[in-house]
Amino acid sequence: MKRLVTILLSALLMMNCVYSSTGRVFALEDAEQKVTANVASPREFLRGTHTSIETYGAGYQVKVTINYTYRYEASNVSGKYITGILGGDVVEYRLWTSVGNSNIHVNNVTYSENHQVARVPVSYDGSIGSGNNIHVDELVTIDLT
């Protein structure tokens, strides 16, 4: 009796495996049948650029450009999700004589709003002339909300 039950259960399991591995069958209006398989599609990573004018002190301004990657996320209000910071650059914009030694600190980025907002630390050295060099640390915000 135990062998009969074991054989019967084995046959049912084999039939279930064969049936479920063939895919789904949908009936069409013209009585044709179409077999479709469940295929996972990879997420698409896109690139974006954020440019802002940052002010230091009495009107000294730099233009900061940050490159980042994002993907679409249906659960976010903006529909986007920042996946990482690629880097960027800092150039003088107003009143600085020169700007150099800029650094985008990609390892110290903080995220909020389910990765819709990124706060990126940026540092640079600016010269206002006559040998006066100033080291500046800024926090640039990328906001996709």
Side-chain angles (χ1 to χ4, degrees):
M1 184 68 174
K2 288 184 182 180
R3 281 189 182 170
L4 181 62
V5 171
T6 304
I7 292 172
L8 183 59
L9 286 175
S10 298
L12 287 173
L13 284 173
M14 285 180 19
M15 288 176 54
N16 187 26
C17 291
V18 169
Y19 175 72
S20 65
S21 66
T22 58
R24 293 184 178 161
V25 177
F26 297 96
L28 301 176
E29 289 181 15
D30 60 354
E32 293 180 13
Q33 289 189 353
K34 178 181 178 183
V35 176
T36 61
N38 295 331
V39 178
S41 60
R43 288 189 181 234
E44 182 178 15
F45 288 95
L46 306 166
R47 289 184 179 212
T49 301
H50 173 80
T51 302
S52 64
I53 306 298
E54 302 295 325
T55 303
Y56 173 78
Y60 295 97
Q61 294 180 332
V62 294
K63 184 177 185 180
V64 179
T65 302
I66 298 176
N67 302 313
Y68 62 94
T69 57
Y70 68 96
R71 64 178 163 85
Y72 292 117
E73 181 64 47
S75 65
N76 285 345
V77 173
S78 68
K80 297 177 182 174
Y81 181 101
I82 300 171
T83 57
I85 305 298
L86 301 174
D89 64 350
V90 178
V91 296
E92 66 267 5
Y93 185 72
R94 184 171 169 244
L95 296 182
W96 291 107
T97 303
S98 66
V99 172
N101 293 332
S102 63
N103 193 2
I104 310 294
H105 303 280
V106 297
N107 293 329
N108 297 329
V109 177
T110 57
Y111 299 96
S112 61
E113 303 291 328
N114 195 26
H115 277 250
Q116 294 177 95
V117 177
R119 289 176 182 79
V120 183
V122 175
S123 63
Y124 59 91
D125 293 329
S127 173
I128 59 174
S130 302
N132 294 327
N133 293 329
I134 301 170
H135 179 77
V136 180
D137 292 316
E138 296 272 349
L139 195 60
V140 177
T141 302
I142 301 171
D143 190 349
L144 301 181
T145 58

